[in-house]
Amino acid sequence: MLKKFRDLSEREILALAISSEEEDGRIYAEFADALREGYPATAQMFEGMHEEEAGHRDRLIEMFRHRFGEHIPLIRRENVKGFLRRNPTWLVRPLGVNVARKQAEVMEMEAQRFYQKAVTRTTDASTRELLNKLADEERKHTQTAGNLEETLLTQSAKAAEDASHKKLFLLQVVQPGLLGLLDGSISTLAPLFAAAVATQSSSKAFLVGLAASVGAGISMAFSESQSDDGSLTGRGSPLLRGAITGLMTTAGGLGHTLPFLINNFHMAMLVAIIVVAVELAVISYIRNRYMDTPLLQAAFQVVVGGVLVLLAGYLIGSS
């Protein structure tokens, strides 16, 4: 059963403050460890914040010993009503740098409010003085973090971390999405247009295209999620990569399948071919924009592959 903050004794308030500072210090240390390889300057910033939290904890322990002795009761935030529930983002690998910074801001604001409330619940002068000082320090903690960021995150360091962030985004989001979009847009062309030419029916072509798109999406999702766990390649969560690849594969196939909802078969074929041309152009642009592939080279590779698959479907359907 959770206790209300107003029901805590001064001994329990100090014990709660000690455990809170210890937890915050550990979290900052986890942030530093998780970001050290890709974001070394930000990791150093969190190391500095970890050291500050350790200093707060030591001062609180000294006050507790002075007033209540050596035994510190175990009381944590989750035992008291009113604290925010913290998602364990510090356990996620790879950890997003912006997620870590945002979490740190929330932690600092909560710590400041805690000490302000704690001051009103204590009567001992020395304890009130300490809690007031800690409240002031937590209030300035954002400024301290800002100063650390200005000192450690120099222009060159920021540029290096931005490049690292872009690389992770490419590996974990753009690359699997592009892979799925390319596969869905091209691999479903042959069965779709073969069925369309063979049956001369928009409704039957739509069903074949829908089945091919969904089937390809499921297959690609499982294939990508099983390719590697991301621990060595830095490609992130296999489940997330699989979901992105599967959804984009399905979307790529549905793009030129939806025109066959048009009852007029010849109109549906014309619209589908136009959609295919747009899809191939979009894929070429994405490869040029995010994968640094020269536009003409990207267009040649994608368009030639798409046209060959489309022709294969047409020839098979008309045979």
Side-chain angles (χ1 to χ4, degrees), residues 135-148:
D136 289 338
E137 289 175 18
E138 293 293 348
R139 190 181 299 112
K140 297 173 183 176
H141 209 164
T142 303
Q143 180 180 349
T144 302
N147 291 337
L148 285 170

Side-chain angles (χ1 to χ4, degrees), residues 130-193:
L130 174 60
L131 295 177
N132 268 315
K133 286 181 178 179
L134 292 177
D136 289 338
E137 289 175 18
E138 293 293 348
R139 190 181 299 112
K140 297 173 183 176
H141 209 164
T142 303
Q143 180 180 349
T144 302
N147 291 337
L148 285 170
E149 188 169 354
E150 289 178 5
T151 302
L152 300 173
L153 289 181
T154 60
Q155 200 64 33
S156 59
K158 285 182 179 179
E161 293 198 351
D162 287 344
S164 178
H165 189 70
K166 180 182 177 182
K167 181 179 178 182
L168 287 175
F169 178 72
L170 290 175
L171 283 173
Q172 298 169 11
V173 178
V174 175
Q175 192 178 73
L178 182 60
L179 175 67
L181 185 62
L182 184 61
D183 184 84
S185 297
I186 294 179
S187 68
T188 57
L189 288 176
L192 173 65
F193 281 92

